[in-house]
Amino acid sequence: MTSRVLVKNLAAREDGSVSVSGWVETVRDQKKVQFVILRDESGDVQLVHPRAAAPATEVIETSGDVPVGVSVTDDLAETISSLTLGSFVTVTGELKHDERVKLGGIEIKVESLTVATYAHPELPIASDSSLDKRLDWRFLDLRQPRNNLIFRIQTTLEHAWRTWWIDNGFIELHTPTFMATPSESRAELFQLDYFELGTAYLAQSPQHFKQAAQAAGLGKVFAITPVFRADPSFTSRHATEFTSVDAEISWIDSHEDVMAMQEQLLVAGLTAVKEKHADEIRAAFGIEVQVPATPFPRIPLAEALEIVKQRGYAVQREDGDLDPEGERQISAYVKETYGHEFVFLTEYPLSIRPFYHMVDEATGLTKSYDLIYNGVEITTGAQREHRIDVLEAQAVKKGLELEGLESYLDFFRYGVPPHGGFGMGLARVLMLLLGEQSIREVTYLFRGPTRLKP
């Protein structure tokens, strides 16, 4: 492998020979000197090549004039002149620190340039192309430094979460994508034929598999995994395939234990992002990363609905839950009142919760919550019902057939400790952290009802 140096590491190197590889961002092909901006996955650098000039004794007469030092063609100049934007090249040359160079105070005087691949001379997208057009050519769209940064932030965030979980004794699970039975109902499910076993379903959540781990005695577990929803929504926050960030813990007293765990996890992740990327995020997105104080504010759903009503907004949903504008309104209230970007909404009725959420006998409401971040729900969490008789009764009350839930209900027939957990949308967290308007901007390759490629 070529001993290439990443652009981000050039500033710390002393002047001297260096080799870099990347793609051509711009070319300024001037009469006496050529400039190329080369970009790699870590940044961009200016390349310079003074054209070869004829010595004074090799003058060329033109219409009676006798110019001295006329530029002549050299092989390297011809190669640079042939470069198209997006071509991938390897360059060897002399690194020089020069404060007059606007791009990072360094440049490389080219000695050799090898073209790995030439790009087509006309790129299919531009900086002002629509989002849909950019998604058609996502692999080109991701060459932009701003988009590159999104996935470095995502990596930092996930690494910090995994580190926190592992440091706190969690086990990572890789849960199946195929399920033999629906996770809750047959709504929003992708179905497919599965050999001689009949119909299989793409998992809407690793929920049931995390609960099986509690029956197995694994205790604290987490999973970062793709999940699927056959939901024909076209909103900025929905996708048919997305990455779910999940955790489940045993021996809890209530959903408060789950909320406390998630608070600590989010603080760990956002602290890592702030420490590593704060300046880059400020420059690229105009956002100041906020590490939230704990505990996060907690508001019962009924109280939240009343607050939203008092703010002059009538929630449009008929099931008793907040709609998207209601979430924005309660988030605005929390920022005004507590100066906080997060709020837990708690105490949901079972009518708008899955059958496996535990019901508080004192209130008749579930021991569950939604977590709202900057006006958008990112999480549903709860204490799960672990008593088989109560679980079956709640499933029947929801109108579900127990026969279709047998493989799930089997988890509970031989003993399960009190437990709970949450599922959180990775793309939503990134979207809200960076102030973007759609999860399409922060998803590597988005999947929706009308998008199955690239």
Side-chain angles (χ1 to χ4, degrees), residues 2-6 10 13 17-21 90-93 108:
T2 304
S3 181
R4 69 183 282 240
V5 177
L6 289 176
L10 292 174
R13 291 177 65 95
S17 182
V18 70
S19 179
V20 293
S21 298
T90 293
V91 172
T92 298
I108 297 173

Side-chain angles (χ1 to χ4, degrees), residues 197-209:
L197 297 180
T199 300
Y201 306 91
L202 296 184
Q204 294 173 302
S205 162
Q207 174 62 46
H208 293 180
F209 301 117

